[in-house]
Amino acid sequence: MSLDDRTLEAAKKHPKPARVFQYGTAGFRMKAVGLLAAARSRKLNGQTVGVMITASHNPPEDNGVKLVDPLGEMLEGSWEAYATRFANAPTETELVEDLNKLNSDLKINTSITPHVIFARDTRASGQELRDCLVDALEAQQAEYTDYGLLTTPQLHYLVRCTNTKGTPHEYGDVSESGYYEKLATAFKQAMKNAKANGSVTVDCANGVGGPKLRELVKYIPSHAEGGIDINIVNDDVSKAENLNSQCGADFVKTQQRAPPSSKAAPGDRCASLDGDADRLVYYFNDNDNTFRLLDGDRIATLAASFLGELGEKSGLSSKISIGVVQTAYANGASTKYTGDTLKLRIECTPTGVKHLHHAAQRFDIGVYFEANGHGTVLFSPAALKAIATHDPQSPSQADALHTLSALTDLINQTVGDALSDMLLVETILAHKSWGPANWLSTYTDLPNRLVRVEVHDRNLFKTEDAERKLVEPKGAQKMIDELVGKFTGGRSFARASGTEDAVRVYAEAATRGEADDLAQKVAAVVKQVGGGK
């Protein structure tokens, strides 16, 4: 049977649902993903690519997919259009024709054996989508490995480890246990000259991060052993309907409150993961029992300030530049603090990890976090070489260099990783002897509000200036600018969601009431020009 016949036969087993798909949308068509992953691997001469079956922070009934390129980064942007075209092919025959056209246009050698690894989160539909993916991969005669249940960052780690194995840039052992061992070893080294201040309670969104964090805890030392005590909550994966329900990073960030199940006392350090454990936010209740959020902006400034300190103390500051990459969602106070107090370079990009990741690669050490808690730190080859070859001139320089070197392994540089980022935050707080209140006191957030507006077609909304200005629908930006001008310290923008027919409106102002008012007024503009549902 020919490759086309096998593909056609496999495609007929999984008819296209009656809806339009777009890459990044929850529910993305699975057989299209298998064909695309095989084509991507072939285009890259048989290197291993990854497929993660997850809908991240979305409700449990949703599901979707993320494709991972060979070094653990997100799928190259130009391929997203191919993914969307595959997913929306009206018939199985047209799907095969689209695949053949892609192979022809990009001169893909179909005799190359594709290599794909994949995993899924805990959603009930994951197994069915896995079976659909396998049918597509087998039709393409791909060699594949099913890693079962993993967090999204763990799959990214495994993709990079697989492709770098046996090279000078080997990233780690190609196994789930290798992931835990790498983080645990680095954490022990980073904590050598520090002592944790109390424990941390981690809300796992009743997702895959729960069992994986429990496994990681087995590898890291307790507080009594020089490490950290981690209290794990909301880790029930036996009931799929509990995933991201009244818990998790997205709930905490959008609702601006702790999960209702929280029993934290004032001052207790708490953190929340999202459903596939690639987002992390911290929070606590102060002495007045007021909720205080420490989101991705806060993690970015904490990490950047500590890395800057280590650069100075180790004697490497003149050899390594540090930059912070933000999106328009970053609180204006964090931007001012990063530039004016930390004296670090700042770059603003469109929303989306792929944009931040690429911008961060332009620095020796690039720190990027979205406000939602998704982010990481990247070290350039030049920075890694400088750290590895630097000759410290004093014991204090040697200590700082030791910690900095450990962080290059503790941080998952492939993608934002809630478990890795949590250990990074705990390491920094321990070195600074800080509690959450100390961390909060570095700057005062401008009051802000994020509003979701349902629209009939999100594609009507087009932006420029790193998504801070609307160019379409015509006239909308002028209306927003006029509203912003009426508020003290006002700032607002509207951008289409990447995963659903909705527009997200962000607003900042001098007071909470003004921020809420501005957000609602801009949301009304969006409804007016975009035909809100």
Side-chain angles (χ1 to χ4, degrees):
M1 188 183 293
S2 71
L3 194 63
D4 282 359
D5 289 340
R6 277 193 300 271
T7 303
L8 189 60
E9 184 177 282
K12 287 179 178 178
K13 293 169 61 177
H14 307 280
K16 177 185 180 297
R19 60 172 292 191
V20 176
F21 292 100
Q22 188 167 335
Y23 188 77
T25 303
F28 194 74
R29 193 179 178 192
M30 207 63 208
K31 65 186 174 189
V33 171
L35 300 181
L36 191 77
R40 182 66 177 159
S41 176
R42 284 190 171 119
K43 177 61 179 175
L44 299 173
N45 297 313
Q47 290 188 82
T48 298
V49 300
V51 177
M52 183 68 200
I53 302 170
T54 180
S56 190
H57 58 282
N58 284 44
E61 61 270 18
D62 288 350
N63 215 335
V65 67
K66 300 176 182 179
L67 273 76
V68 183
D69 264 355
L71 288 182
E73 67 273 67
M74 306 296 281
L75 175 70
E76 183 182 306
S78 64
W79 277 64
E80 293 183 9
Y82 305 135
T84 299
R85 190 169 70 198
F86 279 23
N88 292 297
T91 68
E92 286 76 17
T93 299
E94 288 170 279
L95 176 59
V96 173
E97 289 172 354
D98 284 341
L99 175 61
N100 288 335
K101 185 177 188 305
L102 175 66
N103 288 333
S104 175
D105 290 350
L106 299 186
K107 297 180 172 56
I108 294 173
N109 182 354
T110 56
S111 67
I112 293 173
T113 300
H115 294 86
V116 180
I117 65 175
F118 57 88
R120 56 190 170 88
D121 69 11
T122 56
R123 294 165 197 270
S125 58
Q127 183 63 44
E128 180 183 351
L129 294 182
R130 176 261 179 211
D131 294 343
C132 183
L133 173 65
V134 167
D135 283 344
L137 294 177
E138 289 183 344
Q140 290 296 302
Q141 297 181 304
E143 292 184 4
Y144 62 86
T145 302
D146 179 359
Y147 279 96
L149 296 177
L150 290 179
T151 70
T152 292
Q154 286 178 323
L155 183 73
H156 282 255
Y157 164 87
L158 288 170
V159 171
R160 184 161 181 169
C161 290
T162 300
N163 287 298
T164 59
K165 185 177 181 180
T167 74
H169 307 292
E170 192 164 312
Y171 194 65
D173 183 65
V174 189
S175 66
E176 184 180 343
S177 61
Y179 168 89
Y180 301 127
E181 288 165 357
K182 180 175 183 176
L183 292 190
T185 298
F187 180 65
K188 292 172 189 174
Q189 293 173 348
M191 290 288 286
K192 180 182 176 184
N193 298 307
K195 183 176 178 62
N197 179 17
S199 62
V200 59
T201 297
V202 182
D203 152 35
C204 297
N206 292 317
V208 69
K212 301 311 178 184
L213 179 55
R214 285 202 178 278
E215 193 62 28
L216 175 60
V217 166
K218 297 176 184 177
Y219 289 78
I220 63 176
S222 66
H223 184 271
E225 298 167 328
I228 182 73
D229 289 337
I230 300 174
N231 307 314
I232 301 172
V233 298
N234 295 328
D235 63 332
D236 180 8
V237 297
S238 64
K239 298 176 182 176
E241 65 272 17
N242 289 340
L243 175 65
N244 293 321
S245 177
Q246 299 286 295
C247 60
D250 192 59
F251 174 88
V252 171
K253 172 65 176 172
T254 58
Q255 298 297 315
Q256 298 281 305
R257 60 190 177 100
S261 60
S262 175
K263 296 179 175 61
D268 285 355
R269 196 162 65 253
C270 301
S272 285
L273 323 179
D274 70 336
D276 64 337
D278 64 359
R279 294 186 186 186
L280 173 77
V281 296
Y282 270 72
Y283 50 95
F284 70 105
N285 289 328
D286 64 18
N287 290 332
D288 296 325
N289 218 30
T290 301
F291 174 81
R292 302 293 186 182
L293 178 67
L294 298 157
D295 61 6
D297 293 344
R298 295 280 183 176
I299 297 173
T301 55
L302 182 72
S305 65
F306 187 59
L307 289 165
E309 291 170 12
L310 291 178
E312 290 284 349
K313 292 177 180 178
S314 64
L316 277 168
S317 58
S318 63
K319 299 178 182 179
I320 295 177
S321 67
I322 301 175
V324 177
V325 185
Q326 298 182 326
T327 71
Y329 287 112
N331 192 280
S334 75
T335 305
K336 182 176 176 61
Y337 173 74
T338 301
D340 295 353
T341 302
L342 300 183
K343 308 294 185 185
L344 296 176
R345 287 173 57 195
I346 305 167
E347 184 167 340
C348 187
T349 74
T351 303
V353 175
K354 60 188 176 185
H355 300 297
L356 289 109
H357 194 91
H358 291 153
Q361 289 175 324
R362 294 194 278 271
F363 297 101
D364 291 328
I365 300 178
V367 180
Y368 76 84
F369 278 85
E370 294 182 292
N372 63 25
H374 193 156
T376 189
V377 180
L378 303 183
F379 294 83
S380 71
L384 292 173
K385 183 177 180 181
I387 293 167
T389 59
H390 183 60
D391 183 20
Q393 300 300 302
S394 68
S396 61
Q397 282 196 0
D399 286 345
L401 184 64
H402 176 87
T403 302
L404 184 58
S405 178
L407 294 187
T408 65
D409 282 330
L410 179 62
I411 296 165
N412 186 344
Q413 296 181 55
T414 65
V415 74
D417 182 340
L419 303 187
S420 164
D421 291 339
M422 182 265 295
L423 293 180
L424 171 64
V425 168
E426 292 302 317
T427 297
I428 297 172
L429 295 179
H431 275 269
K432 288 179 172 288
S433 298
W434 276 8
N438 303 103
W439 182 7
L440 181 72
S441 69
T442 52
Y443 63 87
T444 301
D445 276 321
L446 288 169
N448 60 90
R449 178 61 67 198
L450 182 63
V451 176
R452 176 179 172 275
V453 183
E454 291 189 4
V455 295
H456 288 292
D457 184 4
R458 61 180 167 168
N459 295 308
L460 293 175
F461 293 82
K462 302 190 184 305
T463 61
E464 64 181 5
D465 188 24
E467 300 181 324
R468 290 175 287 193
K469 299 287 184 183
L470 277 176
V471 292
E472 292 183 15
K474 299 293 184 185
Q477 187 58 50
K478 182 180 179 182
M479 296 166 71
I480 293 173
D481 288 343
E482 289 174 353
L483 287 171
V484 168
K486 298 176 181 178
F487 290 82
T488 304
R491 180 171 78 93
S492 184
F493 64 91
R495 61 171 288 276
S497 166
T499 58
E500 57 186 338
D501 275 329
V503 170
R504 303 192 189 282
V505 172
Y506 179 85
E508 284 178 358
T511 68
R512 166 62 65 196
E514 288 180 308
D516 290 345
D517 191 21
L518 177 56
Q520 293 302 326
K521 282 182 165 60
V522 174
V525 169
V526 169
K527 290 178 183 178
Q528 177 184 335
V529 301
K533 290 184 179 179

